[in-house]
Amino acid sequence: RRGPVAELIEAERLRPDALLLRWAEGEWTVAEFAAAARACATELQSAGVRRGDRVAIVSGNSEWRLAWQFGVHWLGAVEVSINSELRGTMLQHCLEDSDPSLLVLEAEFDEHLAGLIREVPRLRAEDVPQPIAAEAAAALDEAYAMVPAAELGTILYTSGTTGPSKGVMLPQAYFANLGSVFGAVL
């Protein structure tokens, strides 16, 4: 498996109207989620994010947090998931260590970042990006097809129970392959 974005593109081709996500206030089909993630990718691209750049996401769990994550992957950039419960030196360590070129941040976490790291450009996680045209979506898909499965896709920080959190470097294909393993076991 190449990665979650490749799996999403294939699912969109095969069953675009299938329910993919459901939360308390709504739901998204495969096609709706893919459109949201592509819109996030375009917003990230407009902010200067390129393949290989690190993008830290500081957000609680939500449908848009997931769309931003997929948007980062769509560009072949490196998603850095920051635990939204981190504060102080533990948060500072993860942000300094990952050296992001951009933060996707929910407004409620602004106060926790004050003075912790150098100034990094930011996008609001709760700002819903505009839908994109079919031609732009096709161009994103074409560019994503050039991203190798083994290329760095995510830096996931450990809990830090035995010292400073360590950034675990995961390839683009990791989550799709892990999902496949879980599916086979279950």
Side-chain angles (χ1 to χ4, degrees):
R1 298 188 184 270
R2 289 194 43 245
V5 172
E7 298 291 320
L8 180 59
I9 292 169
E10 181 66 6
E12 185 181 31
R13 186 182 70 75
L14 296 174
R15 50 189 188 285
D17 298 325
L19 180 62
L20 181 66
L21 294 174
R22 179 176 286 145
W23 60 97
E25 298 83 30
E27 59 186 35
W28 272 338
T29 65
V30 171
E32 289 167 335
F33 178 70
R38 284 187 185 101
C40 289
T42 300
E43 192 75 19
L44 291 161
Q45 208 169 37
S46 294
V49 174
R50 302 291 176 255
R51 185 171 157 184
D53 287 350
R54 295 174 182 191
V55 177
I57 301 176
V58 185
S59 170
N61 290 333
S62 73
E63 68 280 10
W64 282 102
R65 192 257 178 257
L66 192 58
W68 285 109
Q69 178 183 3
F70 270 70
V72 171
H73 288 291
W74 224 298
L75 298 178
V78 179
E79 176 238 346
V80 181
S81 282
I82 302 294
N83 182 335
S84 63
E85 297 295 318
L86 291 180
R87 303 289 184 267
T89 57
M90 290 182 76
L91 175 59
Q92 183 177 19
H93 167 73
C94 292
L95 290 170
E96 286 179 352
D97 184 63
S98 63
D99 192 29
S101 62
L102 181 84
L103 293 175
V104 176
L105 175 74
E106 281 185 339
E108 68 180 274
F109 299 107
D110 269 339
E111 66 184 82
H112 303 297
L113 293 178
L116 286 185
I117 62 167
R118 64 179 168 74
E119 194 55 37
V120 176
R122 299 172 184 196
L123 290 177
R124 287 282 172 224
E126 58 268 40
D127 289 350
V128 176
Q130 295 297 311
I132 65 171
E135 300 81 30
L140 279 173
D141 293 359
E142 190 175 308
Y144 176 75
M146 304 307 293
V147 177
E151 192 166 285
L152 180 62
T154 298
I155 299 175
L156 191 61
Y157 280 86
T158 63
S159 62
T161 54
T162 61
S165 297
K166 286 99 179 146
V168 179
M169 300 169 67
L170 303 170
Q172 290 281 337
Y174 177 79
F175 293 112
N177 284 305
L178 183 62
S180 178
V181 169
F182 282 152
V185 169
L186 294 174

